[in-house]
Structures are given as C-alpha cells and as structure tokens.
C-alpha cells in the first residue's frame, strides 16, 4: 500500500481535501460528529483488504505510526495527519483515515493504479471475515466501503440529477420490506405510499417463488422466522440473477439503524458485502436482514444499490452502470421514472436480471434503432393492461414463465397474480388442458383484508364451443360489474387467455 501511495504521489500531487459520499460536498460538522459518536460495524482495516497487514492501518482500522509518518511527508497533508502516535487509534483519526484511504482509492482508480493493486493478492472471506454461526447458516461480517464514484453513478442512474441532492427525491422510496399482518396474507409484502409498487410487486413474485420452491416447509400461517427466510431467499434470487454467475454484492449500511438517516447520510454510510456464490449472497442477506426490514428504513434502496452494483460488479467505477444502461433503449433515462414510479426497465431488472425497456421476445429493429426485449424464458411472468389496449406487446418469455406467477401492470399500478399450488401447471408454462383453474390476486397497497381468488375457465356457447366474434376474439369477456363495466384485471387476463371467462369466487370485482 505504501508503495502504491508513493507511486501515486510521484505521478500526481495530492492536494485535495477530505471528501465524503455527498455529491462532491464536504461532510458537514454535524455528520462528522455523528460518525465519531457512533461506532461503525465490522469495517475492514483498509480499502485494499488483501494488503491489510501492509496497509498502514492497524487492526482497529486506525492509522499506525508508520502510516502516519508516510502521510506526514505528503505535501498539503502534514497538518491533517501529523498527530501524536498516541492519537492514531482514536475514533476521530479512524474516521479521517477511512476518508483519506477512500479518496486515495478513487484517484488511484482514475490513474489506473488500483487495477495493479488487485494483482497483489485476492481477498477471500476466510482472510478478512470472521462469521458467526446461527443454526446451520454462516453469516457475513466482512464489509467494504463504497467509493464516491460508485455511489454517485448509482444515485444518478436511479434518480437522475435529483439523485445527487441531499434529500431523497421521492420520499415514498424510504421504505423497507415487511409483511402483512392479516392471518391469511402473511406472505404478502405491504406498501405504504404510491411509487415503488413495481419493485415491491417484483420482489413479491420472488417471495411467492421461494414459497413455491419450499411448499413442504412453508405453510399458510408462517412463523416470523419462516417469513425472514423466504424474504432472504427472494432478495437473493433477485440479486443473483442480475450477476454474471461468479460474483455479486449485497449493500448494507455501516450504521446499525437507517431510519434516522437522510438520503445523503445513507449513501455516505453504505458498505458492500462481496459474495462469490449464491449461498454467500443469501448468508449476507440473512446477516443484514434487519436493515432491509426496518419499518422506517431504506430497505428498498439498499436492494437497488445491491442490484446495480452486482450488475456491474466486475467493472471499474467509470463502467459501473454501463451494463445496466446497455440494457436500456434510452440510457440517459432514470430507472425511477416521473412521479417516483417504477420504469419498466427497473421492473424487468428485478424480474429477469436485465434492465431491458421492452417486454417482447428478443430484439427488434424499430426505424433503424435496435430495441431490446427479454432474451429468454423468464422464471417469473409479467402481464400488462397496456397490451390489451394495443400500446405494447408482452412476449411469451414473460407470458409463459417457468412458474405460474405474474407481475400485473394495470391502471398505473403493479400487483401480483399467482398460483401457489402448481398441479394445474404444465412444463410449458400454460394452464392444463381442462382450462379451469384458480389464480390468487394480491395488492400490497390496497389494504387487502382477505385472499382474492379468481377462477378462470373457457367462455362456451351452449353447444360447448368457445364464443368468438368476427375478429376471432371472445365476445363475452368475464363477469361485468353491476354498472356494466368489466374489471381491468379481466382484460389483463385476456391478453394471455383470450377465450377465458373470469369468476371472482364471491369477492367484489375490482374496478
């Protein structure tokens, strides 16, 4: 590490001041005092953990006498680091030291020196972490700080220029993942404010997939531990499918609680847990699940940071968001769209692992522009009312998923249709030939009081033949409400089952 510092100093004079994760602004005195008073959790000895023994930071994360002497000789920093050796282990110097090393890493990356640092050795969990075991799970304790460039890139991709402000652009996105408390809906995630329904519905799809994968374990009345396990499995599924199959990263906060932090403070306190397998990702989520479930915390944003960092995990900070932008038809747009709503790109990122803009199969040439869709059959599905209106097309990769679970876009809102008991579901992702099956509907924002069951069957004439009009479409589309209106959800179902009639099984139709 000292050799890298000396080489860097030779090539570029270090005259900058301490910087933090606040969009190029110096951290204010209030935040500095808070950081000094609140101990950080499990931070490594240095930004380059494989060189911790030579990095100049002692086991407590503070500068050793040797490191202080090295930085003491740096022009422009003598006053900042020329402290008595007895103060080298103080929290104040630890805080300043973390920032100095962090900025050194940022500027070393700019000069291309940090890449050579990675060749000096590789970091493995066994070298720098000491997990604690609870039951059969090994929990992560290794945390690496986020660079300023990484956080700025992700904030801008999510929220655009507004993402670089100190306050969260859309307050509704300060929400965590927590379950409904109604006895028959205990696997349902709850949404508090309008905006992040697309993300929550997509994670809800992963939750039901985890339940479906473990039907012999999970029941309709799960315990708190079963809820936590299935949530960890769902978050793991979303993040790992966005990876390259070799590495991923789970982002958490160095502070124990995030509920009292501003958006800027959250970004300043972010840290990552590097993972080399799906099992490590799940262990990381298990170890930090309290932050993702904290009632007034930032669980949704921590997941988004994890997804974006994972999707670009093998790239430098300059290229961090390049892969996600490469998925999008309009790379200059934001993943969180106008009014704080989820873009289709963001929903597809959580559902499929790729932030493609469209829902059709493969790619299409539209007026000379290549528009990207879903490249292969998805494990989870998607249906849209916009297709019924003819505004978009959802391909078979999403209409016929591997599991009978669909995120539904209807009336500017995202909800879920699913079939937990999949005995009526064949390998091709279609309903069985008898065409008489039940789907469950869940809306985490509607304060739903009980399960809503829809029975789907063919619309038949008295002679048993399906009724069609001259265009080939079914004439009678489902049950109309008392005022003659057809529930939009039935129109959505007709985009996949055009010959279907829908019965609400005693529930009031949702208009």
């Amino acid at each position: 590490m000292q050799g890298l510092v000396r080489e860097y100093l030779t090539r570029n004079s270090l005259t900058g001041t301490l910087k933090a994760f606040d969009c190029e602004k110096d951290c204010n005195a209030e935040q500095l005092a808070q950081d000094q008073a609140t101990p950080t959790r499990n931070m490594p000895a240095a930004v380059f953990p494989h060189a911790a023994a030579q990095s100049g930071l002692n086991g407590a994360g503070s500068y050793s006498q040797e490191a202080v002497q090295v930085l003491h000789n740096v022009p422009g920093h003598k006053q900042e680091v020329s402290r008595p050796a007895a103060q080298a282990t103080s929290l104040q110097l630890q805080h300043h030291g973390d920032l100095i090393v962090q900025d050194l890493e940022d500027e070393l990356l700019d000069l291309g020196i940090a890449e050579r640092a990675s060749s000096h050795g590789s970091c493995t969990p066994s070298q720098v972490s000491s997990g604690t075991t609870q039951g059969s799970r090994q929990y992560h304790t290794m945390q690496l700080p986020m660079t300023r460039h990484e956080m700025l890139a992700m904030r801008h991709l999510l929220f655009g220029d507004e993402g670089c402000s100190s306050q969260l652009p859309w307050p509704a996105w300060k929400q965590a993942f927590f379950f409904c408390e109604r006895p028959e809906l205990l696997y349902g995630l709850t949404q508090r404010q309008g905006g992040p329904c697309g993300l929550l519905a997509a994670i809800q799809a992963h939750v039901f997939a985890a339940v479906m994968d473990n039907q012999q374990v999970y029941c309709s009345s799960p315990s708190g531990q079963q809820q936590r396990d299935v949530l960890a499995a769902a978050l793991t599924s979303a993040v790992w499918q966005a990876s390259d199959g070799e590495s991923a990263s789970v982002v958490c906060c160095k502070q124990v609680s995030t509920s009292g932090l501003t958006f800027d403070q959250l970004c300043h306190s972010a840290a990552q847990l590097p993972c080399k397998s799906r099992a490590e990702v799940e262990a990381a989520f298990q170890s930090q699940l309290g932050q993702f479930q904290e009632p007034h915390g930032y669980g949704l944003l921590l997941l988004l940071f994890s997804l974006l960092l994972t999707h670009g995990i093998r790239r430098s900070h300059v290229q961090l968001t390049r892969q996600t932008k490469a998925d999008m038809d309009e790379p200059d747009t934001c993943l969180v769209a106008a009014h704080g709503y989820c873009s289709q790109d963001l929903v597809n990122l959580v559902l499929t692992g790729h932030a493609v803009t469209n829902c059709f199969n493969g790619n299409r040439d539209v007026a000379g522009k290549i528009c990207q869709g879903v490249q292969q059959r998805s494990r989870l599905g998607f249906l849209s009312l916009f297709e019924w209106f003819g505004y978009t097309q959802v391909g078979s990769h999403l209409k016929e998923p591997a599991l009978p679970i669909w995120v539904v876009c209807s009336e500017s809102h995202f909800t879920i249709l699913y079939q937990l008991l999949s005995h009526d579901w064949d390998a091709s992702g279609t309903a069985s030939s008898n065409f008489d099956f039940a789907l469950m509907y869940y809306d985490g924002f509607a304060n739903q009081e009980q399960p809503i069951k829809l029975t789907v069957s063919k619309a038949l004439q008295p002679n048993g033949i399906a009724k069609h009009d001259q265009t080939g479409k079914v004439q009678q589309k489902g049950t109309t409400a008392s005022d003659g209106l057809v529930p939009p959800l039935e129109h959505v179902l007709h985009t996949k089952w055009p010959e279907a009639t829908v019965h609400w099984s005693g529930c009031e139709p949702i208009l």
Side-chain angles (χ1 to χ4, degrees), residues 12 39 63 93 111 121 126 133 154 186 217 316 392 420 463-464 505:
N12 189 62
Y63 277 97
L93 186 53
L111 292 174
S126 61
T133 303
M154 291 191 292
L186 293 177
V217 177
S316 69
T392 189
L420 281 183
N463 58 6
S505 302

Side-chain angles (χ1 to χ4, degrees), residues 52 73 88 107 234 263 287 289 424 435 462 477:
N73 296 324
E107 299 192 48
F263 176 53
S287 69
L289 201 59
D424 289 334
F435 210 98
K477 291 190 173 183

Side-chain angles (χ1 to χ4, degrees), residues 27 30 37 205 235 292 324 362 409 415 417 437 462 465 475 511:
C27 60
E30 178 182 355
L235 300 179
F292 288 85
T324 303
C409 177
T415 54
L417 281 169
F437 59 95
I465 301 175
Q475 292 178 341
L511 297 176

